[in-house]
Every structure is written in C-alpha cells, then in structure tokens.
Amino acid sequence: AQSVTQLDSQVPVFEEAPVELRCNYSSSVSVYLFWYVQYPNQGLQLLLKYLSGSTLVESINGFEAEFNKSQTSFHLRKPSVHISDTAEYFCAVSDGGATNKLIFGTGTLLAVQP
Amino acid sequence: KAGVTQTPRYLIKTRGQQVTLSCSPISGHRSVSWYQQTPGQGLQFLFEYFSETQRNKGNFPGRFSGRQFSNSRSEMNVSTLELGDSALYLCASSSGQGTGYTFGSGTRLTVV
C-alpha cells in the first residue's frame, strides 16, 4: 500500500530564511504528487502538483518542489519565507489508478518567526 | 467560479445520534471524495464517488456511508455517533484523474 512520510512534524524558521519541508513516498510505480497547505480553521489548498514532465514544479507564491524518482522524494522548498507562510503543509500521493484517492502524510507545521 | 461548499460548518451532536453532511462540488466536477481529519489519525480517506457510483472506500466501519446525486452533490452520513467521530470532515472535488482535488472548508463535527 502507498504511504507518505513527512519526517518533520514542525519546522521553525525565521522570516526571510530559506526552508525545506521533506516528503518521501513508498511506491515505485507511476505516481502523482501533491503539496497542500492548510491555514487554521480552513480546508486544504492545493499548492503545487507533479503529474509528469519537468521534475521541478513551482507555485505562484514562491514555493517549488522537485520530484526525485530514485529517492522517492518530493521535497518542498522556498528561498525566503514570510510570516504569512505559517501553516500546516501536507504532502500527498495518488497512484494514478482508476481512482483519485489521495494518501496524505502526517503534515509539517511551518512556524515562521519574526 | 464557486468553490466546494460544505454545510454545515459546525455541528454538535450527542452520542448515538446520526448526522448528515452535505457537499456541493465545483460546477462540472464529477468526482467527489470525503476525508476525515483528526489530530491523532491525520487525514484519512473515507470514500470517493464518480457519477453517482462509489469508486473507492476507505477503512471505516459501516456506520459511515455516503452517496452522490445526479448533479454531483454528495452527502455523507454517520450513524450511531461515537465520541471518536469528532473530527473535521473535508469534501473535495476533482475534474479528472491526477488533476488534484479542490477542498471545501470542512464541517467540524463535535460529538458529546
């Protein structure tokens, strides 16, 4: 069965510093990968996704993630964070089969400090 | 374009009661999924519907059920509520395989 590992439950970082949130998945077959962000008392918002093609994907607010098949990783990075980036970030995988079922990691709380 | 709408936003129920949650997907989206989010178990898949048919089901007891209507709107029902059913229930819709889901704001269910 598919699984997703987010090793860091919380990542504290100062404003304007770079950050990397780690994500590893278990499957070696073709997968779709996603990062979602959740602000307090809200649902999940899609940040970026990898379906195929270029292994580096970017979001409109400065985040990027790189698909690494050999390491089965999809780490999320941002070169300079803002206070407003404080939120919970979830990595998810879909096996691209007949259904759209998403398997989520346990989430990483990004805590940006001034 | 309206997003995914879930009603109600908050709900308080007593143990043993039953509850129905509603979800209106983005117009044109035919795939709807439900997830349960709790601090202890994280985000867990409940079920997925596509064109009124349940396409996949997570590992939840039979007290959890759902359905999808011809207009793609979906409902989920939980019968004989238990304290452990307290959670944020998220609905999400998708336009196709691998495109990712758009989530609603969720229904916060508290069982007392």
Side-chain angles (χ1 to χ4, degrees):
Chain A
Q2 288 268 16
S3 68
V4 177
T5 302
Q6 292 182 250
L7 285 172
D8 305 305
S9 60
Q10 185 169 348
V11 172
V13 63
F14 288 107
E15 194 173 18
E16 298 184 6
V19 70
E20 179 180 79
L21 306 184
R22 297 179 292 170
C23 172
N24 289 88
Y25 62 95
S26 63
S27 175
S28 61
V29 299
S30 186
V31 294
Y32 301 137
L33 294 157
F34 307 87
W35 276 100
Y36 283 87
V37 59
Q38 186 176 35
Y39 298 98
N41 298 315
Q42 294 188 24
L44 301 171
Q45 298 176 27
L46 180 64
L47 195 57
L48 43 76
K49 61 186 177 185
Y50 170 79
L51 305 179
S52 64
S54 173
T55 57
L56 185 65
V57 290
E58 299 176 350
S59 71
I60 58 174
N61 56 356
F63 283 95
E64 65 179 28
E66 186 161 18
F67 170 60
N68 188 318
K69 188 174 183 179
S70 62
Q71 297 186 8
T72 59
S73 68
F74 191 55
H75 300 332
L76 181 70
R77 296 188 294 259
K78 188 170 186 180
S80 175
V81 295
H82 303 288
I83 294 286
S84 59
D85 292 325
T86 295
E88 188 95 28
Y89 291 79
F90 293 92
C91 181
V93 62
S94 170
D95 64 9
T99 76
N100 262 330
K101 175 181 175 181
L102 290 174
I103 304 297
F104 284 92
T106 51
T108 297
L109 175 61
L110 176 61
V112 182
Q113 305 163 39
Chain B
K1 193 174 187 181
V4 177
T5 303
Q6 291 187 246
T7 55
R9 283 298 310 276
Y10 301 93
L11 207 49
I12 300 176
K13 289 286 188 178
T14 305
R15 272 182 302 174
Q17 287 186 313
Q18 67 93 27
V19 67
T20 299
L21 312 182
S22 180
C23 172
S24 293
I26 290 174
S27 178
H29 285 192
R30 294 164 63 191
S31 174
V32 174
S33 287
W34 290 87
Y35 290 82
Q36 181 196 64
Q37 185 177 26
T38 59
Q41 300 298 318
L43 282 154
Q44 292 188 289
F45 172 77
L46 279 157
F47 20 68
E48 179 197 5
Y49 288 89
F50 182 83
S51 293
E52 302 179 66
T53 301
Q54 187 180 85
R55 196 155 67 170
N56 205 343
K57 189 177 193 303
N59 189 25
F60 279 82
R63 300 185 296 106
F64 291 81
S65 63
R67 58 178 176 168
Q68 186 180 32
F69 302 95
S70 58
N71 62 359
S72 293
R73 192 177 69 84
S74 177
E75 289 180 347
M76 68 162 282
N77 185 278
V78 187
S79 63
T80 319
L81 284 166
E82 300 177 358
L83 295 178
D85 297 333
S86 295
L88 179 66
Y89 290 88
L90 294 164
C91 169
S93 72
S94 171
S95 61
Q97 185 182 2
T99 58
Y101 274 109
T102 300
F103 282 80
S105 298
T107 294
R108 173 77 61 185
L109 172 65
T110 302
V111 182
V112 297

